[in-house]
Amino acid sequence: MNLETTQSQTLAKLTQEISIILVGTILLTLSAKIVVPFYPVPMSTQTLVVLGLGLFLGPVRSSLVVVTYLFEGLLGLPVFAGTPPALAGPAYIAGPTGGYLVGFALAAAAAGWIVQALQGLRPAFRASVAVFLGSIVMYCAGLLWLGGFVGYGEKLLNAGLYPFLLGDLTKATIAVVLYTAYHNRRAV
Ligand SMILES: O=C(O)CCCC[C@@H]1SC[C@@H]2NC(=O)N[C@@H]21
């Protein structure tokens, strides 16, 4: 293999990786726009995409997608659930939902790592454990930060956890079903 072939293969691989990351951020942005504007924490479909990214892309690529997404928001692009009406930028990320946003990166990484670490077990089982633990990681980050705004205790759970449990369970189940269907199809 000559130098030119190696260089063009590296370039093709890099282009593919960048495309995957950009498509991931577009999906995440779209999922932020399917939103019910609760205050201070909106209901959205972001967790479906975050967990799906973790399952399908693994820990490194999925967390890179989320970090790129956060960077887009930091630059002022309206990629978040509350933008508009709020303005994206550092102040938005430092706001009430900032913990969930950072938690998205941790959840994607955790779900991706767990689903890979359980390789060899049934896809449905691996994915279920991964989305469950990934969601816990995301909620820990989200609630810890949100508590700084609404206070800790019952008020925090009413604002940041209880209204979302059923919806997030449904979204996590969809991510598991998609992952399982994909793997079962590949196994045929
Ligand atoms: O401002 C953002 O873009 C992030 C919104 C975070 C919403 C959280 S994620 C977990 C929980 N489930 C939801 O549907 N909404 C909250």
Side-chain angles (χ1 to χ4, degrees):
M1 211 185 298
N2 63 27
L3 185 64
E4 226 169 86
T5 317
T6 316
Q7 278 178 339
S8 70
Q9 279 177 348
T10 308
L11 191 66
K13 183 85 190 120
L14 193 67
T15 310
Q16 187 190 9
E17 289 299 321
I18 292 173
S19 309
I20 290 172
I21 287 172
L22 288 183
V23 170
T25 67
I26 291 169
L27 285 177
L28 204 37
T29 302
L30 292 175
S31 71
K33 303 303 163 191
I34 302 172
V35 64
V36 183
F38 289 167
Y39 185 81
V41 181
M43 186 180 279
S44 77
T45 53
Q46 284 153 300
T47 54
L48 168 61
V49 173
V50 165
L51 296 171
L53 288 171
L55 295 181
F56 282 97
L57 297 184
V60 177
R61 287 200 292 193
S62 63
S63 48
L64 261 178
V65 170
V66 181
V67 169
T68 308
Y69 170 74
L70 296 181
F71 193 64
E72 290 169 357
L74 207 56
L75 292 179
L77 294 176
V79 293
F80 301 132
T83 60
L87 285 178
Y92 186 94
I93 295 181
T97 61
Y100 296 101
L101 290 170
V102 173
F104 287 167
L106 304 176
W113 183 76
I114 292 163
V115 84
Q116 287 183 357
L118 297 180
Q119 201 82 40
L121 301 177
R122 288 179 177 211
F125 176 74
R126 291 196 281 136
S128 302
V129 175
V131 300
F132 179 68
L133 296 178
S135 301
I136 290 181
V137 168
M138 182 205 59
Y139 269 107
C140 285
L143 290 171
L144 269 175
W145 186 256
L146 180 64
F149 295 83
V150 301
Y152 294 90
E154 193 64 18
K155 242 176 138 181
L156 174 61
L157 301 179
N158 285 333
L161 178 68
Y162 297 147
F164 307 114
L165 280 180
L166 193 61
D168 280 354
L169 181 66
T170 310
K171 288 171 255 169
T173 306
I174 294 172
V176 171
V177 168
L178 291 175
Y179 182 80
T180 308
Y182 174 75
H183 274 269
N184 289 346
R185 261 181 75 99
R186 272 181 24 152
V188 174

Coordinates of all heavy atoms in Angstrom, one line a residue, residues 33 38 49 61 96-97 99 118 123 152 155 163 168 179:
K33 N -36.4 19.5 20.0 CA -37.5 20.3 19.6 C -38.9 19.6 19.7 O -39.9 20.2 19.5 CB -37.3 20.7 18.1 CG -35.9 21.5 17.9 CD -35.9 22.7 18.8 CE -34.4 23.2 18.9 NZ -34.3 24.2 19.9
F38 N -42.4 22.3 30.0 CA -42.6 22.4 31.5 C -41.5 23.4 32.0 O -40.5 23.5 31.4 CB -42.4 21.1 32.1 CG -43.4 20.0 31.9 CD1 -43.2 18.7 32.2 CD2 -44.7 20.4 31.4 CE1 -44.1 17.7 32.1 CE2 -45.6 19.4 31.2 CZ -45.3 18.1 31.5
V49 N -32.6 9.8 22.2 CA -31.4 9.9 21.3 C -30.1 9.7 22.1 O -29.2 9.0 21.6 CB -31.4 11.3 20.6 CG1 -30.2 11.5 19.7 CG2 -32.7 11.4 19.6
R61 N -17.6 7.6 20.7 CA -18.3 8.4 19.7 C -19.5 9.0 20.2 O -19.8 10.2 19.9 CB -18.6 7.5 18.5 CG -17.3 7.2 17.7 CD -17.6 6.8 16.3 NE -18.2 5.5 16.2 CZ -18.4 4.8 15.1 NH1 -17.9 5.2 14.0 NH2 -19.0 3.7 15.1
P96 N -30.9 26.0 34.8 CA -31.5 24.8 35.6 C -31.3 23.5 34.9 O -31.2 22.4 35.6 CB -33.0 25.2 35.6 CG -33.1 26.6 35.4 CD -31.9 27.0 34.6
T97 N -31.3 23.4 33.5 CA -31.1 22.1 32.9 C -29.7 21.8 32.5 O -29.4 20.7 31.9 CB -32.0 22.1 31.6 OG1 -31.5 23.1 30.7 CG2 -33.5 22.3 31.8
G99 N -27.3 20.6 34.3 CA -26.9 19.3 34.8 C -27.3 18.1 33.9 O -26.6 17.2 33.7
L118 N -20.8 -5.8 28.5 CA -21.7 -7.0 28.7 C -21.8 -7.9 27.4 O -22.6 -8.7 27.3 CB -23.1 -6.6 29.1 CG -23.2 -5.9 30.5 CD1 -24.6 -5.6 30.8 CD2 -22.6 -6.8 31.6
P123 N -28.7 -9.2 23.7 CA -28.7 -7.8 23.4 C -29.8 -7.1 24.2 O -29.5 -6.0 24.7 CB -29.1 -7.7 21.9 CG -28.6 -9.0 21.3 CD -28.7 -10.0 22.4
Y152 N -33.2 21.4 47.5 CA -33.1 19.9 47.5 C -34.3 19.4 48.3 O -34.9 20.1 49.1 CB -31.8 19.5 48.1 CG -30.6 19.9 47.2 CD1 -30.0 21.1 47.3 CD2 -30.2 19.1 46.1 CE1 -29.0 21.5 46.4 CE2 -29.2 19.5 45.2 CZ -28.6 20.7 45.4 OH -27.6 21.1 44.5
K155 N -39.3 19.2 46.6 CA -39.5 20.2 45.5 C -38.6 19.8 44.3 O -39.0 20.0 43.2 CB -39.0 21.6 46.0 CG -40.1 22.6 46.1 CD -39.6 23.9 46.7 CE -40.0 25.0 45.9 NZ -39.5 26.3 46.4
P163 N -42.2 14.1 37.1 CA -43.0 14.3 35.8 C -42.4 13.5 34.6 O -43.1 13.4 33.6 CB -42.8 15.8 35.6 CG -42.3 16.4 36.8 CD -41.5 15.3 37.5
D168 N -39.7 8.8 30.3 CA -38.3 8.4 30.1 C -38.2 6.9 30.1 O -37.4 6.3 29.4 CB -37.4 9.0 31.2 CG -37.0 10.4 30.8 OD1 -37.3 10.9 29.7 OD2 -36.3 11.1 31.6
Y179 N -32.4 -1.3 19.5 CA -31.0 -2.0 19.6 C -31.2 -3.5 19.4 O -30.4 -4.1 18.7 CB -30.4 -1.6 20.9 CG -29.0 -2.2 21.1 CD1 -27.9 -1.6 20.5 CD2 -28.8 -3.4 21.8 CE1 -26.6 -2.2 20.6 CE2 -27.5 -3.9 22.0 CZ -26.5 -3.3 21.4 OH -25.2 -3.8 21.5

